[in-house]
Amino acid sequence: MNTEERIMKKEKIICKEKIAIDFSEGKELLQTLENNVTIFGSARTSSTDKYAKLAEKLAFRLSKRNINIITGGGDGIMQAANKGAFEAKCAESIGLNIYLPNEKTKNEYTTKSLTFNYFFSRKYMLVKYSKACVIFPGGFGTLDEMFEILTLTQTGKLNGLKIYLVGCDYWKYLIKFIRKSLYKENMIDKADLNIITLTDNIKQIEKEIVLLLK
């Protein structure tokens, strides 16, 4: 075995160890918690952004119902949601972060937190123990998370998970694309259109999630 092969073998072993750590620590942190809702959204929004305010308000209201809030542990909408849950002081405010060399988070509104090595293990843990996901406006990362959740729900890998999109103006062209292109061209079934609930009514979301968790 030459030097390059030994280095590659060592890197594979380290990678496997990091993956195992991600899943074992994530499971240890979350498996005993019930009534969890995950909130997704951009890390780039300011605290005064209207969607950040909505996320904070929704998280506060859900937490007052003893519902734990899980986010990606970053800034922006994620921080706003954690802040709402943190200030409610009735449930856990959980941040599942990831190490990114070019980004530093200042989210201090968590009661439980964990930093992951890999995106795929983090995404899995963000939804594994949740009963509902609320997706606020975001960029490529949020879209990646959203479509993976939709795929897992569509294929039956996630059962009974409610998915909400908040931001009717923001998401309307995406919904139009899904209806006018994906559905029209038979890339998805009619039933798949019902996986998503698009609404800006956080009272409706709160009411439906409370009923779901009873």
Side-chain angles (χ1 to χ4, degrees):
M1 184 181 294
N2 59 38
T3 301
E4 184 178 351
E5 289 174 333
R6 285 197 295 270
I7 292 173
M8 290 180 64
K9 183 177 180 180
K10 184 177 180 180
E11 288 178 346
K12 287 181 179 179
I13 292 172
I14 293 172
C15 180
K16 288 181 180 178
E17 289 175 348
K18 286 183 176 180
I19 292 170
I21 289 170
D22 275 357
F23 280 98
S24 63
E25 290 187 348
K27 183 178 180 180
E28 183 179 354
L29 182 73
L30 299 170
Q31 66 177 342
T32 60
L33 298 176
E34 298 180 350
N35 297 338
N36 306 314
V37 170
T38 302
I39 294 179
F40 294 96
S42 175
R44 299 189 181 192
T45 58
S46 69
S47 59
T48 58
D49 176 84
K50 65 178 181 180
Y51 294 119
K53 288 294 186 183
L54 273 178
E56 181 180 342
K57 187 175 181 180
L58 175 62
F60 181 88
R61 294 175 69 98
L62 291 174
S63 293
K64 283 295 186 181
R65 300 274 199 161
N66 297 310
I67 296 171
N68 303 309
I69 299 299
I70 301 174
T71 80
D75 297 324
I77 287 172
M78 291 176 281
Q79 184 184 64
N82 282 130
K83 182 181 179 183
F86 187 85
E87 293 186 345
K89 298 180 180 179
C90 294
E92 301 288 355
S93 175
I94 304 159
L96 304 184
N97 214 321
I98 187 165
Y99 174 72
L100 296 175
N102 297 322
E103 292 188 21
K104 293 182 179 179
T105 180
K106 297 179 181 178
N107 189 341
E108 300 175 352
Y109 299 103
T110 58
T111 57
K112 292 181 179 290
S113 63
L114 186 63
T115 300
F116 286 77
N117 294 295
Y118 299 104
F119 275 108
F120 74 91
S121 49
R122 175 179 177 246
K123 286 191 290 184
Y124 177 82
M125 287 299 169
L126 279 167
V127 297
K128 167 65 176 176
Y129 299 98
S130 289
K131 296 298 184 181
C133 293
V134 186
I135 304 168
F136 285 80
F140 288 149
T142 303
L143 288 169
D144 173 54
E145 291 159 341
M146 178 182 70
F147 278 111
E148 181 155 350
I149 294 165
L150 290 175
T151 302
L152 292 172
T153 303
Q154 179 198 47
T155 55
K157 298 299 182 180
L158 287 175
N159 294 314
L161 185 74
K162 289 284 292 183
I163 302 171
Y164 298 92
L165 290 188
V166 175
C168 293
D169 287 339
Y170 188 87
W171 297 114
K172 63 184 178 184
Y173 297 111
L174 176 61
I175 297 299
K176 184 177 180 180
F177 168 73
I178 291 173
R179 291 182 177 276
K180 297 295 184 180
S181 293
L182 299 187
Y183 175 61
K184 186 178 179 180
E185 297 295 331
N186 297 313
M187 303 298 177
I188 60 173
D189 296 329
K190 189 173 183 179
D192 296 330
L193 297 174
N194 298 323
I195 295 175
I196 304 170
T197 299
L198 176 65
T199 180
D200 287 338
N201 188 340
I202 62 171
K203 289 184 179 180
Q204 173 194 343
I205 296 173
E206 177 193 2
K207 181 179 179 180
E208 292 183 6
I209 289 177
V210 169
L211 288 174
L212 176 68
L213 294 177
K214 280 187 176 181

